[in-house]
Every structure is written in structure tokens, then in C-alpha cells.
Amino acid sequence: DLHPWLRLYLGGYILEGKSERPLQDGASVLQDLACRDDPKLASAALIELARYKVRQAEFDEAGRLFQQSEALKSSMAPPDVKGIAFILNEMARLAAKQDGNHPRAIELHGKALELQKREGDIKGMSYSLRRIGAYLLYHLQDLEAALRAFEESQRLAEAAGAKLGQVTALIEIAEV
């Protein structure tokens, strides 16, 4: 029997279609883990299931799973604020994908950014700003605001030593 965190990885691996096993096997593994007493493990399983539901265009179910995961992270003592910010970023992607609600996506990324600022999560702040900038640029055509978000994202990625974040932000800046 695999360690629960390895089972989580296996379930996600199967759901990404990287295994010969049927997708239902991956879903079953994750559903089992989502019922565990460990809120961190259960929340991670719910996030993987939600991401799978997004890929399957089952948006309402994905939203419900993200909300369940967020509730678990909020109920932890102390609350898993970084995890909550991660979920908010995932929910932003869902809002944009589900119905093209880009202002809602920006709002959710902004909530994640506020949590990341409060926690001093520089790498997370860089990511959220880059996502905000992308929506501003590609969907709302607000070039100035997008450029500000990308430049701040690049600055934070550099401060965090996040090379991939720096490169991605510079590519986005070049797009403006």
C-alpha cells in the first residue's frame, strides 16, 4: 500500500492521462483521499479532482471542489493561507474558462495577491501579478496596467530568485 501522498500523486498522474489505467481509477484514488482526516491531504486531493473537472469542462463541479478545498484550508489551525491563495488563483482560472469572466478572474487573483502580501510570499505575489497582467493585456487590452503588473511580477521573481518567473514575466513584458 502506497503512502497517502504518493497515492495523491498517482491519482493525479492517472487523471492527466499519463497512465494506461482508466481515468476512473485516478478519480477513485483522489475521492478516497479527499475523505481522510488529514485536512492538508484531503484538500490536495480535492484540488486535483477540481483540476480534472476543469479539463472535463465540468465547471460547476470543479468550483464546488475548489470551495470544499478552500474550506478545509481555512479550518486548519492556523489556516493554510498560502494554500488558500493557491486555490483562489485556480478559481480565477476557472472563472475565465467557464464563462470568460475576466474581471472576476482578476478579482480572484487580486484576493490571492492580498493574502500573499500578508504572508510575505514573494514568489506567489509574482505569479498572481503575472496572471493579472495577462488578463489585463489579452482580454481587457489595458496595456499600461498590464505592463505595471508584469514589471512588478518580474521584480518580485528576481527578488525571490525564481528564474522561470523572471523569464515568463520578461516574455509577457515583450508582448506589451
Side-chain angles (χ1 to χ4, degrees), residues 126 130 150 153-173:
S126 174
R130 198 169 65 251
F150 292 144
S153 172
Q154 192 276 327
R155 187 189 68 72
L156 290 168
E158 185 175 2
K163 301 281 187 222
L164 182 59
Q166 290 177 59
V167 170
T168 307
L170 288 169
I171 290 169
E172 298 283 14
I173 288 168

Side-chain angles (χ1 to χ4, degrees), residues 142-154:
D142 187 339
L143 303 180
E144 290 178 23
L147 183 59
R148 284 192 304 273
F150 292 144
E151 288 174 341
E152 181 66 7
S153 172
Q154 192 276 327

Side-chain angles (χ1 to χ4, degrees), residues 5 8 37-45 69 72-73 76 80 83:
W5 286 98
L8 175 74
D37 288 335
D38 177 351
K40 195 167 185 90
L41 178 63
S43 176
S69 181
L72 282 174
K73 293 205 177 282
M76 294 169 66
D80 180 359

Side-chain angles (χ1 to χ4, degrees), residues 1 16-17 22-23 32 36 38 41 45 55 67 69 75 77 96 111 114 118 123-124 126-127 131 148 151 163 165 176:
D1 193 33
E16 288 177 8
L23 295 177
D32 174 58
R36 295 291 179 100
D38 177 351
L41 178 63
R55 288 192 302 275
Q67 288 172 345
S69 181
S75 70
K111 287 181 179 183
E114 289 305 314
R118 201 169 73 211
K123 194 172 179 181
S126 174
Y127 175 81
R131 298 307 313 142
R148 284 192 304 273
E151 288 174 341
K163 301 281 187 222
V176 177

Side-chain angles (χ1 to χ4, degrees), residues 82 114-125:
K82 271 181 128 175
E114 289 305 314
L115 292 176
Q116 291 158 336
K117 283 180 182 177
R118 201 169 73 211
E119 291 295 302
D121 179 5
I122 296 171
K123 194 172 179 181
M125 291 164 50

Side-chain angles (χ1 to χ4, degrees), residues 27-89:
S28 294
V29 167
L30 294 174
Q31 287 165 345
D32 174 58
L33 294 172
C35 297
R36 295 291 179 100
D37 288 335
D38 177 351
K40 195 167 185 90
L41 178 63
S43 176
L46 289 165
I47 290 168
E48 284 299 318
L49 281 168
R51 289 171 134 182
Y52 170 68
K53 295 296 183 180
V54 169
R55 288 192 302 275
Q56 298 300 307
E58 296 178 34
F59 300 125
D60 291 338
E61 179 65 7
R64 188 186 67 72
L65 292 166
F66 281 135
Q67 288 172 345
Q68 242 183 302
S69 181
E70 182 183 10
L72 282 174
K73 293 205 177 282
S74 295
S75 70
M76 294 169 66
D80 180 359
V81 178
K82 271 181 128 175
I84 294 167
F86 178 86
I87 293 167
L88 288 168
N89 279 324

